[in-house]
Amino acid sequence: MELHILEHRLQVASVAKESIPLFTYGLIKLAFLSSKTSPSIFVAGGQLQFVQKSQSALYRMCSVGSIQGAEQREGQAAGPSQLAAWGSSSGEHLSPPRLGRVWVADQCHILCLSVVLPRCKFFSLTETPEDYTIIVDEEGFLELPSSEHLSVADATWLALNVVSGGGSFSSSQPIGVTKIAKSVIAPLADQNISVFMLSTYQTDFILVRERDLPFVTHTLSSEFTILRVVNGETVAAENLGITNGFVKPKMVQRPVIHPLSSPSNSFCVTSLDPDTLPAVATLLMDVMFYSNGVKDPMATGDDCGHIRFFSFSLIEGYISLVMDVQTQQRFPSNLLFTSASGELWKMVRIGGQPLGFDECGIVAQISEPLAAADIPAYYISTFKFDHALVPEENISGVISALKVSQAEKH
């Protein structure tokens, strides 16, 4: 198998729930305007319009939100070359759009932007009960305002991707974190290398600190052909070398040491064609920033165990979504990719207090018992806690197995 070191240099950051309105301007640009085509958002006849220029140079429109009673903040005027494509949904002529216009309606930030797009190619936003976690490349990070409300991990991270049979991650079969537990996760934990996981519909990304890369490649070189992506091309990774004194550690048993919980939600892991993004733009914006989620109507009381969790990733043009089934039901069923079996997933949340970034072996503590039982899992690390998603029918056995491992620490 091959281990690809992707070319993105990533930042991991956190935004408190109450501070997210300060960042929606940049986050919406990263989520909805970082595509291979040239979309724009503008105002026409009291409605916010989402326009996307297709390869045939035709423009499509769909309404993505009302702006009645909105307050306008204006930026620079758009250039004349952009004017021919502008018109309302009814075809009437409009005055020139303006760059960087933000409409504030009902405490919601909505954009009016020209076809100037962010160059970001790696973006992920995950909402948990505690905060929003942002994983974004250096180009995308520039879209976020400098603010005391943005907490940034003190390292630059690189994304690794295991590919079987050659090719890029987008064309490979999903590996699953439990499938790489013994070959990647455990050896890095044995070497005291901290990892940050992001599973998507397409594949699994293992994030490591850039400064740890020489140790990572040395540790995994006997198991993988290690390649590096440079300017979009995959080439053999150069010998990075390591400092003297590198000693292969003895394999150790890793009991689960952090508290575990399992919310009552059932989740789906899905995707959609980027070309259909305009059709669900309003809904996605609402789910990501402006709604508190939809609770299970069968659940009652404040302690029903239902949590807010939603993850959106746009990585090299591929979209991945993780949401509970109540949120999924808000989407048109013909737009979301799902497995033929309609498989649902249950979550195991790891951590009682924020985990931090320096502790090693947390992912291994969870993935190794699952690998031993041959149970597939998605794994999403966030700024404060970790989350494993396992097939719904396996949740009882998974919790039992992890609690047995947890008891071994005593």
Side-chain angles (χ1 to χ4, degrees):
M1 289 195 296
E2 297 175 354
L3 181 73
H4 291 191
I5 306 168
L6 305 187
E7 58 188 328
H8 317 292
R9 302 180 74 244
L10 306 174
Q11 297 293 326
V12 178
S14 168
V15 177
K17 289 292 196 73
E18 62 272 14
S19 301
I20 198 64
L22 300 174
F23 298 91
T24 51
Y25 177 92
L27 293 173
I28 290 176
K29 285 180 67 177
L30 293 171
F32 295 97
L33 301 183
S34 297
S35 67
K36 298 176 182 177
T37 55
S38 300
S40 301
I41 297 179
F42 71 103
V43 173
Q47 289 288 317
L48 190 72
Q49 303 289 330
F50 188 104
V51 180
Q52 183 148 348
K53 184 179 180 182
S54 67
Q55 292 181 349
S56 61
L58 298 177
Y59 283 76
R60 296 176 295 163
M61 299 185 194
C62 64
S63 172
V64 296
S66 173
I67 56 145
Q68 292 182 355
E71 171 190 351
Q72 179 182 350
R73 304 173 189 171
E74 294 186 345
Q76 300 174 346
S81 62
Q82 299 165 343
L83 303 185
W86 298 92
S88 73
S89 55
S90 60
E92 66 186 58
H93 179 72
L94 292 177
S95 59
R98 303 178 72 86
L99 293 175
R101 180 182 293 170
V102 179
W103 295 87
V104 183
D106 300 325
Q107 298 182 342
C108 297
H109 291 63
I110 305 176
L111 305 182
C112 177
L113 299 169
S114 80
V115 293
V116 178
L117 304 181
R119 293 175 297 165
C120 175
K121 294 183 179 179
F122 196 114
F123 170 67
S124 177
L125 179 71
T126 300
E127 181 186 1
T128 68
E130 295 77 27
D131 62 358
Y132 287 83
T133 294
I134 302 165
I135 306 173
V136 65
D137 60 25
E138 289 180 323
E139 292 79 8
F141 190 73
L142 297 176
E143 300 293 337
L144 303 178
S146 178
S147 171
E148 61 181 353
H149 300 286
L150 183 69
S151 301
V152 184
D154 62 347
T156 297
W157 299 77
L158 299 177
L160 313 179
N161 177 234
V162 174
V163 176
S164 59
S168 66
F169 79 81
S170 59
S171 61
S172 65
Q173 292 294 319
I175 297 295
V177 67
T178 52
K179 298 299 183 183
I180 58 174
K182 294 180 180 179
S183 59
V184 179
I185 305 300
L188 295 182
D190 291 336
Q191 203 56 245
N192 293 321
I193 296 171
S194 178
V195 301
F196 197 85
M197 283 296 306
L198 176 63
S199 291
T200 68
Y201 179 84
Q202 292 81 16
T203 191
D204 301 277
F205 298 99
I206 309 108
L207 274 59
V208 298
R209 290 182 174 94
E210 188 174 45
R211 63 174 178 262
D212 290 334
L213 186 61
F215 294 95
V216 171
T217 56
H218 185 91
T219 301
L220 302 179
S221 59
S222 61
E223 188 78 25
F224 295 94
T225 300
I226 300 180
L227 304 174
R228 190 155 197 170
V229 180
V230 179
N231 296 324
E233 299 292 330
T234 303
V235 299
E238 61 185 6
N239 185 3
L240 299 173
I242 57 171
T243 58
N244 292 330
F246 183 93
V247 177
K248 187 174 182 179
K250 296 180 179 179
M251 299 293 288
V252 297
Q253 188 175 14
R254 273 178 288 272
V256 176
I257 63 175
H258 291 285
L260 305 174
S261 62
S262 182
S264 62
N265 317 46
S266 293
F267 293 88
C268 66
V269 181
T270 184
S271 180
L272 56 83
D273 186 331
D275 288 342
T276 66
L277 197 56
V280 292
T282 304
L283 178 55
L284 268 174
M285 290 182 195
D286 182 61
V287 169
M288 292 166 70
F289 304 112
Y290 306 126
S291 72
N292 294 319
V294 180
K295 288 194 174 183
D296 187 339
M298 301 301 294
T300 59
D302 295 331
D303 58 346
C304 63
H306 188 286
I307 71 163
R308 174 66 176 159
F309 187 94
F310 183 87
S311 184
F312 172 94
S313 298
L314 177 57
I315 300 173
E316 296 187 3
Y318 293 88
I319 295 172
S320 176
L321 300 163
V322 180
M323 66 187 87
D324 63 22
V325 293
Q326 288 74 39
T327 303
Q328 180 194 23
Q329 290 168 1
R330 299 177 62 187
F331 287 80
S333 59
N334 61 328
L335 293 185
L336 297 179
F337 301 158
T338 55
S339 64
S341 62
E343 190 170 27
L344 296 179
W345 303 76
K346 284 287 190 178
M347 178 183 290
V348 179
R349 273 180 39 107
I350 301 99
Q353 298 294 324
L355 299 173
F357 293 88
D358 295 324
E359 183 177 345
C360 303
I362 299 175
V363 181
Q365 293 166 22
I366 304 300
S367 62
E368 286 183 295
L370 297 182
D374 199 27
I375 296 174
Y378 292 93
Y379 199 104
I380 299 177
S381 301
T382 61
F383 207 85
K384 295 183 178 179
F385 299 106
D386 281 8
H387 310 80
L389 292 165
V390 300
E392 191 172 40
E393 64 271 17
N394 295 124
I395 186 63
S396 297
V398 167
I399 294 295
S400 298
L402 294 178
K403 286 186 174 179
V404 168
S405 177
Q406 199 172 45
E408 292 175 354
K409 74 175 183 177
H410 299 295

